[in-house]
Amino acid sequence: MAAASLPVYRFEDFELDPAKFELRRSGSKVAVEPQVFSLLVYLAEHRDRLISKDELIEAIWHGRIVSEAAIAARIKAARKALDDDGTSQRLIRTVHGHGFRFVGAVASADQIAVRPASEHPGEIERHPPIERDGRPSIAVLPFTVSGDAGPYGIIADALPSDVIMDLARLNWLMVIARGSSFQFREPDADPHVIGRALAVRYCLSGVIDVLGEAVTVSVMLADTGTGETIWAEHYRSALSELQQMRPEIEASVVAALEVQIPRNEVRLARRRPAAELDAWASFHLGLDRVYTFTQSGNADAQDLFAQALMSDPHFSRAMGGLSFTHFQNAFLGYAEAGNRARELDAARHYAQRAVEADRLDPFAHFNAGRSHWINGEVDQAIEWFGRATALSPSYAQGVYTRGLTRALVGEASAADEDLALALDLSPLDPLAYAMVSSRAFAHIHLQDYERAADYGAKAARMPGAHKHVKVIGALSAQLAERVTDAQRLLSEAKAIDPQLSADDFFRAFPFAETGGREAIERTLKELGL
């Protein structure tokens, strides 16, 4: 039976809406726990007769052993939600020794069997999440505590609240408010039920497991449509350090979701016929193609971003994606001879349009910064990347590009701190190879050539590493007197682009006149570029 066919039970100024899993009073939502909501629905549905305690236990608790106190607590909570009480019993009446009956005057559709929200996963009808505007959507649940957390137990609410606040900065993601998602406190809450009740595609839950003086925080991201866990992570510390770890866990979780949710969106979009792709699906497929860092992938991405803009002409992220592809055309030399300036103009044009369309989107500011960086306007680029990270402090790509531009102007220590943070925030980021290779730049400035060579070699082996990354590996190896490695990496770079030159490299990385630049210029000459 489709959720849309479930009746809405109307009595006094209340509406009990099973399809939306909402209790409303005069149109405003009333906070109520899921199990209490299921109890209300069951009583309203069967209001024509008395419901025995045994029947209620079977319907709501599935026959589990339940104390009289637990039943009384749920009835009391149901009455409180309806502004009723045990004295007046205006809506829910207790017949002592027999059971309960809903006595309010209800106007509803036909009687329809409604299964309680706490039902076992295998018995629940599956309904796809309600789509709002194509954006992915998420509910962050309160974490549960296993063991004695003592005064640290409050972090079970505080940490997911922090995550909600940080995720709310991301305009590409619909985040359900705490007041709704925190109604789901059961440790075994079913993602399918949450998806149907809150109309979300994703559900983030967590467990704080205390064993003596040690604690493990386990976080899981589930797809509410399939029930599949698509990402999970564990964070361990001493219990006494949990409060200090809280900001680190929050930043790590948010950064992971910025990677994992788009990856899953790509997987979902691939299943859809091209004619059925909406703006967001086209955008996510475009990101997947642009991160191949190939000329054909870049061209495919450009088409997909343009398709997204046709569906939604005001779509900031699609404009940012187009800026990204035009930047790549100039940065990696995909543009035809003489067209580099046109690609740079297009990169800046679409970045500006993206910012105008959504001034709160860090991706728009990220692309604006890149359009300045590649033109040698490094100070302006740093300002834009600063805005991106101010909007979303856990935005790893914004932190990375801020670090890279600092390396270009010789701020080596600050650059390396940014780049290390970016990798901590998003170790599996599509731009992780660039974060690592940029650390080589920072250590060249610091004249720590051995570490620079280590970073250069690592970056050259990573997925996405393009010709410029191979050159970074070669020059840092040459500076560390690893001549064989330098020649091998230079050969790999020339295999990608036989016309590669030092001028190409400095057009891509417009270094300021510093000692680091002098060392790079000298080394590229030694390598024959």
Side-chain angles (χ1 to χ4, degrees):
M1 181 183 301
S5 65
L6 295 176
V8 175
Y9 299 101
R10 297 179 176 86
F11 48 93
E12 296 185 349
D13 53 352
F14 289 97
E15 290 182 331
L16 192 60
D17 189 340
K20 293 185 178 180
F21 215 79
E22 289 179 358
L23 173 64
R24 297 184 292 271
R25 185 172 193 176
S26 300
S28 299
K29 293 181 184 178
V30 177
V32 58
E33 292 183 3
Q35 193 173 61
V36 175
F37 182 89
S38 295
L39 185 150
L40 283 171
V41 170
Y42 196 83
L43 290 175
E45 177 192 355
H46 300 285
R47 60 194 178 278
D48 58 329
R49 61 185 176 84
L50 185 73
I51 304 298
S52 70
K53 289 182 181 179
D54 288 342
E55 181 180 347
L56 207 58
I57 291 171
E58 182 62 35
I60 306 302
W61 284 273
H62 311 291
R64 297 195 297 270
I65 297 175
V66 180
S67 68
E68 293 282 340
I71 298 172
R74 293 298 184 271
I75 293 293
K76 182 178 179 180
R79 284 183 172 134
K80 183 178 180 181
L82 301 179
D83 198 20
D84 194 4
D85 57 56
T87 301
S88 63
Q89 298 190 17
R90 187 181 81 259
L91 296 171
I92 300 175
R93 182 166 299 166
T94 301
V95 180
H96 292 287
H98 295 280
F100 309 93
R101 184 176 176 187
F102 192 92
V103 294
V106 176
S108 76
D110 296 335
Q111 298 287 325
I112 297 178
V114 179
R115 295 177 179 176
S118 58
E119 198 161 3
H120 296 303
E123 300 171 353
I124 294 175
E125 288 185 281
R126 306 307 186 196
H127 301 284
I130 297 171
E131 301 298 336
R132 292 180 173 89
D133 57 5
R135 282 185 295 169
S137 48
I138 188 169
V140 180
L141 308 187
F143 290 5
T144 58
V145 178
S146 174
D148 182 10
Y152 300 101
I154 193 171
I155 293 178
D157 277 10
L159 180 54
S161 293
D162 291 342
V163 171
I164 289 172
M165 292 292 290
D166 216 356
L167 289 177
R169 301 170 185 262
L170 306 177
N171 285 8
W172 62 268
L173 183 64
M174 172 71 74
V175 185
I176 294 298
R178 179 185 189 276
S180 294
S181 60
F182 271 37
Q183 293 185 42
F184 291 84
R185 290 188 173 275
E186 292 87 350
D188 56 351
D190 185 342
H192 291 288
V193 171
I194 294 163
R196 182 174 65 182
L198 299 178
V200 292
R201 196 177 303 170
Y202 298 97
C203 170
L204 185 78
S205 59
V207 177
I208 298 175
D209 190 8
V210 181
L211 183 60
E213 296 302 313
V215 62
T216 300
V217 180
S218 302
V219 186
M220 295 139 284
L221 177 69
D223 182 321
T224 63
T226 64
E228 176 187 3
T229 297
I230 60 177
W231 172 77
E233 187 58 89
H234 302 282
Y235 304 90
R236 296 179 175 85
S237 76
L239 181 59
S240 60
E241 298 174 357
L242 182 57
Q243 183 67 17
Q244 288 73 28
M245 277 192 65
R246 181 174 139 194
E248 297 177 24
I249 297 172
E250 172 201 350
S252 175
V253 168
V254 173
L257 297 189
E258 287 196 81
V259 174
Q260 298 297 336
I261 290 178
R263 282 185 176 177
N264 197 58
E265 290 295 299
V266 169
R267 183 173 65 86
L268 295 173
R270 283 175 177 161
R271 299 174 180 174
R272 299 170 62 178
E276 295 181 9
L277 294 177
D278 61 17
W280 281 96
S282 297
F283 169 74
H284 284 297
L285 285 175
L287 273 190
D288 185 53
R289 293 299 293 149
V290 82
Y291 286 142
T292 63
F293 301 102
T294 63
Q295 187 166 0
S296 61
N298 204 59
D300 291 344
Q302 202 163 74
D303 290 341
L304 285 160
F305 293 141
Q307 180 177 327
L309 268 186
M310 288 180 65
S311 299
D312 181 355
H314 306 289
F315 190 7
S316 171
R317 289 240 148 180
M319 297 170 192
L322 283 171
S323 176
F324 197 117
T325 61
H326 286 291
F327 172 93
Q328 293 285 87
N329 283 338
F331 180 72
L332 293 175
Y334 296 153
E336 296 178 4
N339 286 340
R340 186 173 187 273
R342 188 173 67 186
E343 294 296 328
L344 292 176
D345 287 344
R348 179 165 297 186
H349 167 74
Y350 283 111
Q352 289 173 342
R353 283 187 59 191
V355 172
E356 290 166 2
D358 188 351
R359 295 186 180 276
L360 299 180
D361 185 3
F363 185 63
H365 292 264
F366 162 82
N367 283 293
R370 278 161 56 103
S371 72
H372 283 279
W373 146 34
I374 200 168
N375 278 295
E377 301 157 353
V378 180
D379 289 342
Q380 295 97 314
I382 290 175
E383 289 182 13
W384 281 106
F385 297 139
R387 291 170 193 160
T389 53
L391 288 166
S392 180
S394 302
Y395 183 39
Q397 293 185 3
V399 175
Y400 143 64
T401 42
R402 185 178 64 194
L404 171 57
T405 48
R406 283 174 167 170
L408 295 179
V409 296
E411 298 176 4
S413 296
D416 199 48
E417 288 179 9
D418 273 344
L419 295 163
L421 174 58
L423 284 163
D424 285 344
L425 287 171
S426 188
L428 300 179
D429 199 275
L431 293 178
Y433 73 90
M435 299 171 186
V436 174
S437 65
S438 297
R439 295 197 77 180
F441 282 151
H443 285 277
I444 288 172
H445 279 291
L446 294 169
Q447 298 184 22
D448 185 352
Y449 299 138
E450 288 295 325
R451 289 194 71 186
D454 289 342
Y455 285 124
K458 179 180 178 180
R461 296 192 300 268
M462 294 175 72
H466 48 70
K467 61 183 181 182
H468 294 317
V469 174
K470 305 286 188 182
V471 172
I472 295 169
L475 71 89
S476 57
Q478 183 77 5
L479 283 165
E481 300 182 355
R482 302 179 188 178
V483 178
T484 302
D485 290 343
Q487 289 300 319
R488 173 180 56 79
L489 288 165
L490 181 63
S491 296
E492 291 178 9
K494 287 187 172 180
I496 297 170
D497 181 1
Q499 306 303 316
L500 193 65
S501 69
D503 288 342
D504 291 334
F505 187 79
F506 284 113
R507 275 195 293 269
F509 300 104
F511 282 90
E513 297 297 334
T514 61
R517 178 179 176 123
E518 291 176 5
I520 292 170
E521 286 180 331
R522 183 178 66 251
T523 305
L524 291 177
K525 286 180 181 178
E526 291 176 7
L527 290 169
L529 286 181

